[in-house]
Amino acid sequence: MSDTRHTKVLIIGSGPAGYTAGVYASRAMLEPVLIQGMEPGGQLTTTTEVENWPGDTEVQGPDLMVRMEAHAKAMGCDIVNDLVTSLDLSKRPFTAQTDSGTVYTADAVILCTGARAKWLGLDTEEKFKGFGVSACATCDGFFYRGMEIVVVGGGNTAVEEALFLTNFASKVTLVHRRDELRAEKILINRLEKNPKIETLWFNEVQEVYGTDSPLGVEGVKVKHTKTGEITDIPAKGVFIAIGHAPASELVKDQLELHSGGYVSVEAGSTRTAIPGVFAAGDLTDHTYRQAVTSAGMGCMAALDAEKFIAEQE
Ligand code: NAP
């Protein structure tokens, strides 16, 4: 028989939004339960140096998330290492089924499931995932010591990953489909000064190729977006850094979504169209997507939930 637990506030997700909601909801004496999901700590656990978290000139992403978890726990948040597999928002109390079999019922739900890495969608990318193709330089960069690496993308993530990978690689080729990066200027300056990085403008990856036994990458074929010219770039590692998509599968048929999957909230709040359901962080934010803005929204969601529960009582 499945175990059922009731909580006033159920927080789903464990990035900056989730843990901050945990801190605030705990301090409001709401005794929240936070379900961490597949990747406790979220996207920041796959980055290295974070230089824009106020109060820390430099902090390692995984360390920051360990501290946030400890902070929420210290305030009284019940942090559960489990995965919500389905969520019923059609009636109150809301019901969440989890991977462990425990069923949670909740008066209010704060959705903080964040976003995850996007892929190019090539068959050959899929074939070599985990065997030379990766979306996480922090996790896998170490395997490519002294080797050539390709990074795909033109945003902050791509530039940060390219810079980080120069710690291991003999050469990093950044492949971007335009001739302008959307990364912050400070990162672009570092990229331009790094002698190990070459940037290939106006190019898109057509194919990842390699060996079958053992399975491993040998390079990529890229196509010039204007001339159609195909160039072969030898590489043992290919890091895809082309952005993220919101993790809204749990609620996609129950809540209004915008911009390709982000949960819609009322302007200036975290309220969704369902009273008692709140959304915070990258799951709802298509524009800013920063740790600090996510944390801010986590705070807002806990305050919105507190108000909602007080009104019900
Ligand atoms: P992003 O800013 O959305 O950039 C994605 C990049 O990938 C863009 O350059 C885009 O090209 C390219 N791209 C997208 N789809 C592609 C495709 N199918 N083929 C080839 N290229 C493709 O994503 P992000 O870099 O992951 O950053 C996400 C958010 O997190 C941003 O708000 C960013 O500022 C933030 N972030 C911040 C930090 C930091 O502050 N330290 C670190 C990492 C991320 P186009 O430019 O042509 O569109």
Side-chain angles (χ1 to χ4, degrees), residues 142-288:
F142 189 69
F143 300 122
Y144 303 97
R145 289 187 304 278
M147 300 178 196
E148 297 189 16
I149 291 177
V150 164
V151 175
V152 184
N156 273 337
T157 306
V159 175
E160 279 189 347
E161 300 225 327
L163 288 164
F164 174 70
L165 288 166
T166 59
N167 292 323
F168 313 102
S170 55
K171 179 182 176 189
V172 175
T173 305
L174 181 67
V175 175
H176 183 36
R177 62 183 177 184
R178 295 187 296 130
D179 66 344
E180 194 187 348
L181 298 167
R182 58 171 77 231
E184 289 168 11
K185 296 240 165 4
I186 189 169
L187 292 173
I188 297 176
N189 286 344
R190 280 183 211 158
L191 182 92
E192 287 168 351
K193 283 189 192 135
N194 194 310
K196 280 193 181 176
I197 304 177
E198 182 186 335
T199 305
L200 206 57
W201 304 112
F202 290 122
N203 269 280
E204 283 180 329
V205 175
Q206 296 290 294
E207 183 193 337
V208 182
Y209 64 86
T211 52
D212 281 341
S213 71
L215 203 53
V217 169
E218 292 293 330
V220 294
K221 287 194 193 312
V222 297
K223 185 176 177 186
H224 197 281
T225 56
K226 295 189 181 298
T227 64
E229 187 189 345
I230 304 283
T231 308
D232 192 340
I233 314 174
K236 297 284 185 194
V238 179
F239 288 81
I240 310 297
I242 59 167
H244 293 84
S248 51
E249 295 84 4
L250 281 176
V251 295
K252 68 177 170 24
D253 300 323
Q254 306 181 75
L255 290 173
E256 188 197 324
L257 306 179
H258 69 94
S259 312
Y262 293 83
V263 170
S264 300
V265 290
E266 210 177 287
S269 90
T270 61
R271 285 188 292 273
T272 69
I274 300 179
V277 179
F278 307 90
D282 283 10
L283 174 68
T284 175
D285 173 23
H286 170 247
T287 312
Y288 301 104

